[in-house]
């Protein structure tokens, strides 16, 4: 599993008090059988007292108490921690980095994009915003606008603390600061559907030793027994707020029409995952597609022995037109993919890591033309984000 597919690394950013730790705890408490590696700046900020029990954290947790991750001079320190978590022995499925409240997320993205470990890949930047403190945060930290402009997904947290009119105003402000099409998810107490960021796997192993999920569940049960407010990680099921649409096609998809569909995807479509069959000469691999917000990445790989050539996609969003999305995907089908010219794949290859493209200037149609240099304030195109 992880020996074949690189591990996505999701950056969880936001200013102090925005609710990053609460959101992380929610992800850990609703992860199913998914093995999550966590990198945090301050171990003490994880509000699970039982974590101090020997053996509970092990090698799946890395603590950086000496400063922001983005303060590493050349990124080698973070690289070393990621290399450790990505070791096959840990069988990690996803890594979540909880950045310091004063971190520069853009620099963290650059560090991850520059990481040369083939076992990991950048999985998107999630910016957490405190709805109740939004205006004060912008006034005290003008860099808020820049952080929002590079986010792949924005979580507007603590929506229960503002009235509907105020929430609508804040959402409008955020939309004006973000790149066009950047999804905005509303949440209270950090409760978002983990499926927006990673796949939850079923439990397949005996819980002989307490896990993060066990610890959080026990803490929530204890709070309920003590007369708490009942807002534990499993209450108010977040998944009820989202819709999931599946699409399957035994017919190849046109790379140009599919990229056009992705470029025009609605803001409410938070995540796309699955595999695509293009069938273009020279590009007959299975293309894994992964999108979180506006972040997009394709990864070519071999088909399994006897595996049927087909496209299988899952689209997760809120307020989206499911039947309309399926109609648009139906329109992407290509009857004669073998007649498509190699350059029709250029739009797809732009979102494939150079190492996966196997760039060879002598190979006809092997890679798209070089893009213009990215603006200084935007992540380089190689990170999989639209320029």
């Amino acid at each position: 599993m992880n020996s074949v597919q690189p591990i996505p690394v999701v950056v969880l950013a936001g200013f102090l008090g925005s609710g990053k730790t609460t959101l992380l705890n929610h992800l850990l408490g609703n992860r199913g059988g998914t093995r999550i590696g966590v990198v945090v700046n301050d171990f003490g900020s994880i509000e699970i007292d039982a974590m101090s029990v020997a053996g509970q954290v092990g090698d799946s947790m890395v603590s950086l108490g000496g400063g922001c991750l983005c303060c590493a001079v050349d990124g080698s320190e973070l690289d070393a921690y990621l290399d450790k978590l990505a070791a096959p022995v840990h069988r990690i499925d996803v890594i979540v980095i909880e950045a310091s409240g004063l971190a520069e997320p853009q620099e963290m993205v650059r560090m991850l994009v520059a990481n040369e470990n083939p076992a990991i890949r950048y999985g998107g930047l999630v910016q957490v915003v405190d709805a109740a403190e939004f205006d004060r945060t912008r006034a005290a930290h003008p860099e808020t606008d820049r952080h929002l402009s590079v986010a792949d997904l924005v979580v507007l947290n603590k929506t229960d603390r503002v009235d509907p009119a105020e929430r609508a105003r804040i959402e409008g402000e955020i939309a004006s600061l973000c790149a066009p099409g950047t999804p905005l998810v509303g949440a209270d107490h950090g409760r978002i559907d983990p499926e927006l960021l990673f796949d939850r796997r079923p439990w397949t192993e005996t819980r002989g030793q307490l896990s993060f999920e066990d610890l959080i569940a026990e803490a929530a049960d204890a709070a309920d027994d003590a007369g708490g407010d009942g807002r534990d990680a499993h209450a108010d099921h977040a998944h009820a707020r989202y819709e999931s649409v599946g699409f399957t096609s035994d017919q190849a998809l046109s790379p140009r029409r599919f990229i056009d569909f992705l470029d025009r995807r609605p803001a409410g479509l938070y995540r796309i995952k699955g595999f695509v069959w293009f069938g273009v000469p020279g590009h007959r691999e299975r293309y894994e597609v992964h999108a979180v917000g506006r972040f997009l990445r394709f990864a070519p790989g071999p088909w399994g022995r006897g595996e049927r050539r087909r496209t299988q996609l899952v689209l997760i969003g809120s307020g989206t037109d499911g039947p309309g999305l399926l109609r648009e995907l139906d329109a992407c089908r290509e009857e004669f993919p073998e007649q498509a010219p190699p350059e029709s794949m250029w739009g797809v290859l732009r979102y494939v890591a150079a190492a996966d493209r196997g760039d060879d200037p002598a190979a006809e149609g092997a890679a798209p033309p070089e893009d213009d240099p990215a603006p200084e304030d935007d992540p380089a195109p190689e990170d999989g984000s639209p320029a």
Side-chain angles (χ1 to χ4, degrees):
M1 185 167 56
N2 287 334
S3 61
V4 177
Q5 297 296 336
I7 303 170
V9 181
V10 178
V11 178
L12 194 60
F15 284 105
L16 297 168
S18 60
K20 300 186 302 298
T21 298
T22 302
L23 194 155
L24 176 58
N25 280 340
H26 172 76
L27 295 178
L28 291 171
N30 292 270
R31 63 190 177 91
T34 303
R35 297 177 68 89
I36 303 177
V38 180
V39 179
V40 296
N41 284 86
D42 181 8
F43 179 79
S45 68
I46 301 295
E47 299 170 356
I48 307 173
D49 293 339
M51 271 191 182
S52 60
V53 177
Q56 300 311 315
V57 177
D59 289 330
S60 294
M61 170 70 78
V62 177
S63 172
L64 291 180
C68 300
L69 293 176
C70 62
C71 293
V73 176
D74 58 4
S76 59
E77 184 180 10
L78 176 60
D79 289 348
Y81 288 131
L82 294 177
D83 290 346
K84 179 180 179 181
L85 288 175
V89 67
H90 302 311
R91 295 183 292 124
I92 296 294
D93 296 304
V94 61
I95 297 172
V96 179
I97 299 177
E98 183 192 355
S100 158
L102 301 177
E104 278 292 339
Q106 178 183 332
E107 293 307 312
M108 299 185 68
V109 170
R110 290 186 187 278
M111 290 163 61
L112 290 172
V113 171
N115 188 289
E116 297 181 353
N117 186 345
I120 65 172
R121 61 171 169 79
Y122 173 57
L125 169 63
V126 180
Q127 187 75 19
V128 184
V129 176
D130 183 339
E133 299 291 330
F134 178 67
D135 292 329
R136 283 185 285 273
T137 298
R138 284 189 73 195
H141 302 282
E143 61 270 30
T144 298
D145 295 6
R146 184 178 69 254
H147 294 181
L148 287 169
S149 72
V150 299
D152 297 302
L153 177 67
V154 177
V155 176
L156 182 61
N157 196 28
K158 306 183 185 181
T159 54
D160 56 315
R161 295 179 54 189
V162 296
D163 60 42
E166 178 69 357
R167 175 176 174 175
R169 180 190 69 80
I170 294 171
E171 289 178 342
E173 290 279 347
I174 292 176
S176 70
L177 298 170
C178 293
T182 302
L184 174 62
V185 182
D188 61 84
H189 294 77
R191 291 191 293 269
I192 66 170
D193 190 342
E195 291 280 347
L196 296 179
L197 304 179
F198 56 80
D199 294 332
R200 279 178 292 189
R201 304 184 186 281
W203 282 105
T204 57
E205 56 191 54
T206 302
R207 302 191 195 183
Q209 184 181 32
L210 289 178
S211 66
F212 283 140
E213 189 165 18
D214 297 322
L215 295 170
I216 296 172
E218 287 186 2
D221 291 340
D224 288 341
D225 292 341
D229 65 3
R231 289 185 175 276
D232 61 78
H234 301 282
D236 187 21
H237 298 290
H239 61 77
R241 307 172 191 173
Y242 309 104
E243 300 87 38
S244 177
V245 176
F247 174 79
T248 301
S249 174
D250 290 324
Q251 191 172 339
L253 300 191
S254 162
R256 285 174 172 164
R257 290 198 292 274
F258 186 58
I259 285 294
D260 183 59
F261 165 79
L262 294 174
D263 286 343
R264 295 182 292 101
R265 61 190 186 274
L269 185 55
Y270 305 133
R271 190 175 182 216
I272 303 172
K273 57 182 179 177
F275 302 94
V276 186
W277 163 236
F278 294 115
V280 175
H283 302 279
R284 298 184 185 276
E285 304 97 329
R286 182 181 72 168
Y287 280 81
E288 180 188 10
V289 60
H290 171 75
V292 173
R294 67 191 183 101
F295 170 77
L296 176 63
R297 170 60 63 87
F298 285 94
W303 295 92
R305 185 183 298 274
E307 185 176 0
R308 178 185 296 182
R309 274 50 173 169
R310 69 192 320 188
T311 293
Q312 294 179 290
L313 298 171
V314 174
L315 300 88
I316 302 173
S318 176
T320 53
D321 177 8
L325 292 174
L326 293 178
R327 285 193 297 271
E328 291 190 57
L329 286 170
D330 279 331
C332 293
R333 299 177 194 265
E334 178 58 63
E335 187 174 359
F336 303 107
E338 66 278 359
Q339 298 179 10
E343 58 266 25
S344 66
M345 287 291 295
W346 283 353
V348 172
L349 293 177
R350 184 169 182 268
Y351 297 100
V352 173
D356 292 332
R357 284 203 305 252
D359 287 355
D360 180 359
E364 180 181 2
E370 289 297 324
D371 296 312
D372 293 332
E376 187 63 26
D377 286 341
D378 291 331
E382 282 298 314
D383 70 356
S385 299

